[in-house]
Amino acid sequence: MKKLIVVAVAVVMMMGLAGSAFAANSIAQGSKGISVGMGDSVFSHKIVPIDGFLAQDVVDISGRYFIGRDMALYGGFGLQLNSGDVEGTYLGFTVGIRKYLSTNDFAPFFGGQLTYAMADAQNAAGATTLDVSIFDLAALFGAEYFFNKNFSVEGAIGVGLGQWSDDAANTDGTYLGTRTVGVHANFYF
């Protein structure tokens, strides 16, 4: 899946180089948008205690508001539900800010975000095997490409610093690492 995300980011960047630099888009003060996509869980880089649980992509929904011509605030949540041999839930909340380096149809950006995420898991016998929470502060870089005024696709990567705690195992720790923030479709209004 990570290869697919890298390919999607490369396609978005190439489209930006080939596209019109002056077409209309929704990057303007007061614009609002909704973003839906896939990103990786902060757990997938550090804590993968049970065969693949939490190492998968997480559905991510967020809202965006432009406080300036080239600056936006956003907030959202991520969700993953697992069933089968391992029953589990992931829920994450994110707030952030991003600064656009260009307001053309190909719009690279950088920013920062704070995420609080929690996950739990139970094995087939019903015993709790995971009860983890994370605070994660990440710097990110990405690009957004506008196909028209109200629709764009974006990809982003980042570096995060976090503190995690697993109540089921009575352990905790700190990490620093890279991450694929994800690929999203954005709808502006």
Side-chain angles (χ1 to χ4, degrees), residues 53-54 58 70 83 86 89 105 121 124 127 131 136 144-145 165 184:
F53 179 70
L54 300 174
V58 176
D70 58 357
S83 62
V86 177
T89 305
D105 279 354
D131 186 7
D136 181 79
E144 188 169 349
Y145 182 78
S165 173
H184 294 84

Side-chain angles (χ1 to χ4, degrees), residues 25-48:
N25 62 41
S26 292
I27 297 180
Q29 186 170 354
S31 292
K32 300 174 202 85
I34 295 174
S35 181
V36 179
M38 302 285 289
D40 61 355
S41 155
V42 292
F43 295 98
S44 65
H45 295 282
K46 207 58 194 162
I47 306 167
V48 188

Side-chain angles (χ1 to χ4, degrees), residues 36-118:
V36 179
M38 302 285 289
D40 61 355
S41 155
V42 292
F43 295 98
S44 65
H45 295 282
K46 207 58 194 162
I47 306 167
V48 188
I50 305 166
D51 296 333
F53 179 70
L54 300 174
Q56 302 167 5
D57 290 332
V58 176
V59 174
D60 181 17
I61 300 171
S62 62
R64 184 173 306 156
Y65 178 74
F66 282 84
I67 59 173
R69 183 175 167 275
D70 58 357
M71 189 167 292
L73 297 175
Y74 63 93
F77 66 95
L79 178 66
Q80 177 182 327
L81 304 173
N82 287 33
S83 62
D85 292 339
V86 177
E87 300 282 332
T89 305
Y90 165 90
L91 182 60
F93 299 97
T94 300
V95 294
I97 188 167
R98 65 171 57 166
K99 167 86 168 130
Y100 287 83
L101 302 173
S102 169
T103 56
N104 297 326
D105 279 354
F106 178 69
F109 60 83
F110 67 91
Q113 69 183 28
L114 176 65
T115 301
Y116 173 73
M118 55 195 140

